[in-house]
Structures are given as C-alpha cells and as structure tokens.
C-alpha cells in the first residue's frame, strides 16, 4: 500500500543562521514538499534516526518536527511500520492547507473527521501521542487469545460483565458512587447512553432542561429524539436552577455536566446540587449527569459526582471512555438506579448495543491491572502542562485580544473575544486555515455577548508547537 | 480464575457391554457429575488426549462427548487454555437440566443468551465449532499491530473504509449487486441497519408491509420505532403482493426476505420480485431487503439479490455478519441508493454507529484474503450435512408427528405439528427442558393452523448428537 518516498528530500538546506529554529525549518520543508506534490500521500518518510544522522542534527529536533506534522495530520505514524505521508491528504495546495479547506464544519467535526486527519485545536480529542499503545496492544492480543466461543454468541445487552465490574469498582473509588455491576450498562459512546435513557424513561415531546451554553452534540441528539429542550443559562455556580424552575418547573429531565460544565468549565455549586436533587425528587424528574472528563482536574480537590449525593435514585450517571482512553473505542457507560435495572435491560435488548466483546475485554483488562489509574495520573500532569503551554502562547501572541476563562480542568480552553468581534467569523476564518476552532455561540441557544472560542489543547506537544499554532491562529483571524 | 478439577472422575466405569455407546456414556457421566455437584462451574476437565489415554479409548470418542457437552453449554472450550465446566452453570439439578429451566423466554433468546450458555436448537446461531478461530485471531492480532493513532480518533460514521470496499466487491461477485463502497454503511448488526433506515427515510406512523409469519425481532424493532405495520401473508411464492396492495397500496415501505423467507424458507418468485419493484417505483416506496443468510443454500442455483434487479433505486439492501461469521461481532451493513448517500451519512453521524475499528478491520482482512469465501464454501457443506442429520433424527423419532417443511437453505428447520397441537405448548414444554425451540405462531400476527416449530441445526455436531436431541425433544414434549 505504501511506496517509498520517490523524491530525495535532501539537501534540505537547513540553516543555523535562519530566524527559525531547525525543527521549524524541517517542519516547513516537509509541509512545503507535500504541498508541492514532491511528497505524495502514502509515501514513506525517513525514520527519525536516519534523518537525524544524515542531517547531523539531534534526534529530538527531528522528533519535534515529526510530532508537529503528525499532530496536524500531514504524517501518519504507524508504529513499527514506519511513518508515511497521510494517505488522505488529497492533492496539493499552498502551504499544505488545501486539504483542510474541504467541507470542514464544526457541527460535525466530532464525527466527520476521517481517520488520518487531525485538526489543530480539535475539541474532545485526548492526547493521541501519549496513549500507551504497546500496553494496549498487548492486552488486546491477550484478550483475543483468551476469548472463546462465548464471545461469538449474541452478547449480553448490558455489555461485557467483567468490564461492568471494573467500572463499578472504579466509580466507587474515584467518583464516590456506590453501585453494583448490574446497574452499569456499557454503551456505544455517550450517544448510546443518551439513547438508552430516551428509550427507557422518556417519551417524545418530554420537556427537559439543557445547559446554555451546553454540549452541542447532546442537544442535537435529544432534539432529534423528539425532546422539548428548555435552555437554562449557566453562571459561575453552574446551571441557574432558579431560572430553570421559573421557566419549566414541571420538566421531566435535566441534562447537566456538574463537574466541569461543558464548555464553560464551572462546577455546579454544592447548594445547587442539593437543590437540583430536591427538585428531581419532588417532581419525580430524572437528572442525566454527563461526567465526561471529570478525571482531568489540575488543581483543587476532585469533586465527587452529583450521583454520589443522590439519595432518591433520580440520577442517571453517564460517562465515556472517549476522553480518558480514546474516541475510536466508541465505548461509554450508564449507571441506572437499582430499581430500574430490568426496564433498562429490556430496552437495551432492543437497541444495537455496545458492539463486539473484544474492545470491552481490553478495557476491562486495562482497568483491572492498574493501567487505567496510571494512565489517568500521567494524563493529568501532561494536560496541565499542555494547557499551560497554550495559555502562554495565546497570551504572548494575542495579548489582551483573547481572554482565557480559567478552567479547573478538561482538555480545552475557552477564550473570550472582544465584544465587537463575532466568534462565528473568527472560527470560520480559523477553520478555513485548517484550525478546528469552535465558536461558543454555536454552543448557545440564546444570543449573547461577548463571543468566545473553544480550543482543544490535548494534542499540543510542546511550547514551540503551541506558539506555532497560536501564530497560525492569529494570522488566520487577523482582520482587514 | 479456574480451579483444577477437585474430584477424580475415574473410574468412570464405562462398559462396552452397555446399550449406550461409549461417547454417550461419557457424555452422561460428565452431565451427572455436574448435576451432582462433583464437578463445579469453573473446574478444569481433562484434555481429550489425556482422558482418552487414561481410559484407553479413541480420542475421537472423547472428542464426540466433549463436543456434545460444549454444544449444550456444560463445558466451555477455551482453546489453548483448556476446557472447563461452564462458569455460568449455577447449581445442581437432575440430569443437569436445572440451569436451563431458569427464565428462558423465546422472545428474547437472541439477546438474552448469556455468554456460555448454548441452548440446543437455538435459532440464528452459526456453527461455533467450525469457525476458523486461529485464522481469525491471527488476523485480529495483525490488525491490532497495524492500527495506528488513526484508529483512536472518532471514526467515519459509515464504518471502516477498507471493509466497505471489501463488502462492495463481495456483493458484486456473489449477490449481483453493483455498488460502490460509498453506498455501503457498516452497522451494529441488522438492528443498526434498520435504525439507519428509520432515521433517514421513515417517520413515526409510516405504514409498512411486513411478512406474516416474519422475522419477529425486526417486527419488534419497527413497532418500537413507531411504524405502522401491515402483516402480509406468505405463500409458496413468498409475500402475497396482491393482498398487500389490496390492504395498503399506499404503504411507505415493505420489509422482505426474498431469498429465504424468514422463517418459512420460500423464495420470492421472479414475477413477484418484478411486481414488487414496479409497485415501489410507482408509489415511491422503499423496499428493505433483508438478505440475512442467502449464502446458505444447499441445492439449486443461488438466487441473486432482489437489489440486483433494482433499476430505480428503491431497494435498501441489508445484511449481517451474524450468520456467516458470528453474532458476537455485532456487525451488519446496509447498501443505500447512490442518490441518498449524503442523507444517510448525515443520519449516521447522529447514531451510535458500528463501534470500534478493530473488529471491522479483522473482517476486512478476512474477506480480502479469501478466508471469507473459503469459510462460506465449507459451511455450505457442513450445514447441508447437519440439516440432513436433524431431518433424519426427527423422522426416526417423531415419525409422522412432525412434518418438515422443505427448506432451500438456512440454518434452521421448520417442522409442522399435527393440527390439534398448540405449537406454543410444544415449544414451552421443550423450553422447560432446556431446548431453545421457537413456536411458529410467535412469528405470526394472524392466528393460523397448523402450528409449527423452528429448530436451529447449526450446532448439531453429528448424527448421534442429532438423535440424542431429537429424543430429548420427544421426551420433553410427550403429552399425557
């Protein structure tokens, strides 16, 4: 499938007297060679070791350039099979940006991204370079050998039992949630969890509170499922409960992100948590707690889940492995009240479920053997660093033009624009230059100022990378 | 997790003068030892080789007994890890049937079957003993090594592209369907395909034709999706088109199994195929073709798919890997008209999709390297043989009490009962003895006589096994 590079990249004419550091020159050379068609999609590029030796530069320098090229989708690292020019880059274009220009729309970025594209700043993607792929492959290989004819049958609609045990144990230790594995349903991502809730407890045209701004994909999903959503503003204590009650006290459900409100990052305050639970009990309403990235909190004590305070079984706790492992797994889970297990099992039997057992068995082994906890600890340190890199680079490049909202955690920054600027225009300009920036107003139902942008930082591999991206963002969005 | 067998099974007191052949004595001994609690769930049993050598009998004899025990869920074969007593057998019971008695309901058999249970006669399960597991594990292991960070991202909502190419090529050669990979959507089983159709082309309360009797799980799914189903009788040319048109000519869709009507096995005649297509064109209605096991036809020429005659793009072609590979994969696919690709992509983006890439990559490799075609050829021979074994055993045991409907293929038999007998009673009696027999009337909407039962034969491993099962069925359902 892959050809060896047909063009000789050398002499690269790298110069130590240039303004730009060597890694950046290297990065640009490769980008230009691809744009000019000298390197074609699928071409193999030299190994880091051999290029470093040929150019008499440090391996770390080559590695830095390669990581940027991989991070931006120009290169594709295939482990022992070597690194190639991404097969999906179709055709040339100035500065290699042509392939980014086609049909990028933020609404569908989460799903549309084809396998070997990375858009810088992409929202919701974990650090792909830092995932322990070798350990993962080893565990998956082992699961493969141990799995027997049992794995060939129609699976349990609630998911692979050992994984449900591992999740129940993890939630008890890390999120303060006491539950049995019978309450845990493995789903095909967060969407699968929402679908299970809709099919089991809700009906078309049910009224539900939704955070505004709030997770746009969940909103889309619920609207398509026929729900009647009431947008509820978010302030610095999270969902404005008073407003919600004034607008629709009789709502049937509330969808909340209490740990890090998505996308503003605020935590729902304890008084509001208790009020929300009280409301749900009184109204016999359901609270859907989306706990998508609570693991990533970089200072202060970790907040327990809302579910941990739930005395009356009104909370449906949903989470996903997309942020803590990787989205390609397509696995999430839902914890349901004990009294509703049978109803959920019944509807799970009529849905398409979490898929094949093998990926579930691999996650179970990863959790059981302590790799999961270790990976989370490592990621917390890494993300705190990457967040800092991006914050510094943005401050340096944009000065006061962007003001970063202090986040307690997560994998993206929210940066506010000056009142006069449209965040949609800003995001569109960035997108047309291949930067996966999202406009805050796309995540809002009600019009409001000032605008802001969401910038994912999980795949920023160093301070220089952050500066290059900040600069590209600045250039792309410069007005006039 | 597993303990070594704590009881000494020997001397088994096998006797060559007994009425029963050695393998049957062995089979009963193990079953009794389990029932009596001498062998516990999870206990390891001797290897075939060592037991044969200890008892001085042929390995084939031990193997025959073990295969029956595995086939009936007493044992669990774990490849190189050895064979154990199924961990899910809870507790003792006379003749080892106690574990079968709990909560078996045919409605949910397809989904409820927990991993290490097999119910004899189970519908829709392929031959688990004949699957090339080593080849599969090798290919999966390779896919695992080759997969890179691309597989970690949010996947293409239409599924893994190389698999879509492989399916398009296969359909062209084997089913007479000319399509591009862009038209192929990988889904989480057949249910995923139906969901994609519902969300893209249909609306709640749309009227659709459904075969009567017809595939009960599809009917359930569509009813839950809010469709308004019109049952249409089936005669020896398949769906009675005239009746359908008289009842609901303006229907929005028709769900058909043209190759082997499910469960009667008849093929939709060519004149009716053409009429059906003409109707769909005239009404701008959709035909959903469920081609679930067309590969298994044991005599006569294979019928091309209805889709191959579809000039006006009215047919949505759905199939599944559950029957031709194994259901635990949870993979199916849907071929959509070229003009509707974008609409389907849009709705696929909002559904939970076909799951992780790895299983899809394994299927792709299995198809690309010719293993799939080889496996199908092998299975055609095997199933023809197993079908014959069961037909012979039923005839021998039941005489004229059961009359087998001649099937052209598939993995189950339809056997009709005498007019006076209720097939639900017959099936319930069989189920209470651990036999996964389904009543035909459960698959019908309109009451009709005579009743019948559906008997899966894919996991019957020999003529003796067939005779033992036929006998068990006879004893379980004996009246008075």
């Amino acid at each position: 499938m892959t050809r060896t590079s047909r063009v000789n990249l050398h002499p690269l004419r790298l110069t130590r007297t240039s303004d730009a550091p060597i890694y950046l020159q290297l990065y640009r050379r490769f980008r230009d060679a691809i744009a000019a068609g000298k390197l074609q999609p699928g071409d193999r590029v030299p190994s880091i070791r051999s290029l470093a030796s040929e150019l008499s530069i440090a391996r770390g320098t080559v590695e830095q350039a390669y990581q940027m090229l991989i991070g931006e989708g120009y290169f594709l690292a295939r482990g022992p099979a070597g690194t190639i020019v991404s097969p999906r880059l179709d055709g040339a274009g100035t500065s290699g940006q042509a392939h980014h220009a086609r049909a990028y729309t933020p609404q569908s970025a989460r799903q549309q991204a084809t396998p070997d594209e990375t858009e810088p700043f992409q929202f919701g993607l974990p650090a792909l370079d830092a995932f322990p792929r070798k350990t993962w492959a080893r565990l998956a290989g082992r699961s493969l050998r141990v799995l027997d004819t049992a794995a060939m049958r129609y699976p349990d609609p609630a998911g692979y039992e050992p994984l449900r045990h591992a999740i129940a144990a993890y939630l008890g230790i890390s999120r303060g949630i006491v539950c049995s594995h019978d309450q845990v349903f493995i789903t095909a991502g967060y969407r699968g969890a929402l679908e299970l809730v809709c099919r089991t407890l809700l009906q078309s045209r049910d009224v539900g509170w939704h955070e505004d701004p709030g997770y746009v994909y969940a909103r889309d999903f619920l609207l398509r499922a026929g729900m009647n959503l009431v947008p509820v503003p978010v302030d610095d204590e999270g969902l404005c409960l008073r407003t919600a009650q004034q607008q629709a006290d009789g709502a049937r459900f509330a969808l909340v992100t209490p740990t890090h409100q998505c996308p503003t990052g605020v935590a729902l305050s304890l008084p509001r948590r208790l009020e929300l639970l009280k409301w749900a009990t009184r109204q016999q309403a359901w609270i859907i707690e989306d706990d998508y990235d609570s693991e990533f909190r970089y200072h202060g004590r970790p907040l327990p889940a809302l579910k941990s305070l739930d005395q009356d079984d009104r909370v449906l706790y949903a989470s996903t492995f997309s942020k803590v492992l990787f989205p390609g797994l397509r696995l999430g889970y839902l914890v349901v009240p004990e009294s509703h297990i049978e109803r959920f099992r019944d509807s799970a039997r009529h849905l398409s479920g979490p898929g094949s057992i093998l990926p579930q068995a691999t996650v179970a082994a990863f959790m059981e053997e302590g790799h999961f906890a270790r990976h989370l600890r490592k990621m917390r340190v890494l993300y705190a660093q990457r967040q800092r890199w991006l914050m510094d680079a943005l401050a340096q490049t944009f000065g006061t033009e962007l003001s970063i909202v202090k986040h307690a955690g997560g994998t993206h920054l929210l940066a506010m624009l000056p009142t006069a600027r449209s965040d949609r225009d800003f995001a569109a300009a960035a997108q047309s230059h291949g930067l996966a920036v999202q406009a805050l107003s796309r995540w809002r139902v009600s019009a409001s100022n000032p605008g802001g942008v969401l910038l994912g930082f999980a795949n920023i591999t160093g301070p220089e990378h952050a500066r290059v991206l900040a600069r590209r963002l600045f250039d792309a969005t410069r007005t006039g």
Side-chain angles (χ1 to χ4, degrees), chain A residues 17-165:
Chain A
T17 57
S18 153
D19 276 353
I22 299 288
Y23 77 89
L24 206 54
Q25 293 182 46
L26 206 51
Y27 159 84
R28 289 183 186 146
R29 285 298 159 130
F30 274 108
R31 233 178 52 171
D32 292 350
I34 291 167
K38 288 179 195 158
L39 273 175
Q40 296 276 326
D43 280 352
R44 192 186 294 270
V45 298
S47 73
I48 290 172
R49 188 206 314 251
S50 70
L51 189 58
S53 131
E54 280 185 58
L55 300 178
S56 302
I57 55 180
R59 276 167 68 174
T61 306
V62 180
E63 194 170 352
Q64 204 163 8
Y66 274 32
Q67 281 198 348
M68 283 169 64
L69 289 157
I70 291 164
E72 296 183 19
Y74 292 102
F75 281 6
L76 183 64
R78 301 179 312 159
T83 298
I84 59 170
V85 177
S86 286
R88 299 294 165 82
L89 293 174
D90 27 63
T94 51
S95 311
Q97 284 161 1
H99 77 285
H100 283 306
R102 66 187 144 99
Y104 180 78
T105 50
Q107 297 89 311
S108 46
R110 236 189 122 180
Q111 284 293 321
Q112 235 176 14
T114 55
D116 27 20
E117 267 172 37
T118 315
E119 309 277 358
F121 301 124
Q122 197 167 317
F123 179 89
L125 205 59
L128 300 181
D129 60 329
F131 188 75
R133 282 162 55 192
K134 273 194 187 161
T135 303
W136 186 262
R138 183 169 54 78
L139 295 179
R142 208 183 56 197
S143 307
L144 199 58
R145 284 189 299 278
V146 172
L147 285 182
D148 44 38
T149 52
M152 295 174 62
R153 292 164 214 267
Y154 285 98
D156 187 326
Y160 185 60
E161 198 172 302
L163 178 57
R164 292 156 60 212
H165 278 282

Side-chain angles (χ1 to χ4, degrees), chain A residues 441-459:
Chain A
S441 64
R442 268 261 313 132
W443 291 51
R444 283 195 205 275
V445 174
S446 53
S448 98
N449 270 315
V453 286
L454 303 175
L455 303 167
F457 57 72
N459 285 287

Side-chain angles (χ1 to χ4, degrees), chain A residues 408-472:
Chain A
T411 58
H412 70 274
L413 290 178
L414 172 57
M416 305 309 285
L417 299 176
T419 322
R421 287 201 77 171
S422 145
D423 59 3
R424 294 201 182 216
D425 291 351
F426 187 98
Q431 285 159 24
S432 75
H433 287 77
L435 302 170
V437 172
Q438 299 209 17
L440 178 60
S441 64
R442 268 261 313 132
W443 291 51
R444 283 195 205 275
V445 174
S446 53
S448 98
N449 270 315
V453 286
L454 303 175
L455 303 167
F457 57 72
N459 285 287
I460 291 179
T461 55
E464 297 79 8
H465 190 195
R467 278 195 289 273
V468 169
L469 290 180
R471 190 77 224 172
R472 275 180 64 186

Side-chain angles (χ1 to χ4, degrees), chain A residues 5-6 35 40 60 71 81 136 141-142 230 293-294 300 333 430 456:
Chain A
S5 170
R6 296 164 317 168
Q40 296 276 326
W136 186 262
R142 208 183 56 197
V230 176
D293 71 353
S294 61
Y333 52 92

Side-chain angles (χ1 to χ4, degrees), chain A residues 230-262:
Chain A
V230 176
V232 177
V234 170
D235 64 16
D236 54 7
E237 287 189 59
L239 185 93
C240 295
L241 202 67
R242 212 55 56 83
T243 316
Q245 289 177 318
Q246 281 159 9
Q247 283 181 12
D249 193 53
R252 183 99 188 89
F253 69 96
L255 177 61
V256 286
T257 48
T259 308
H260 297 147
Q261 200 276 329
C262 181

Side-chain angles (χ1 to χ4, degrees), chain A residues 391-409:
Chain A
M391 285 170 75
D392 289 350
L394 290 174
Q396 214 179 338
T397 311
F398 283 86
T400 55
E401 252 185 274
L402 280 183
S403 78
I404 313 286
V405 176
K406 283 262 174 260
H407 268 69

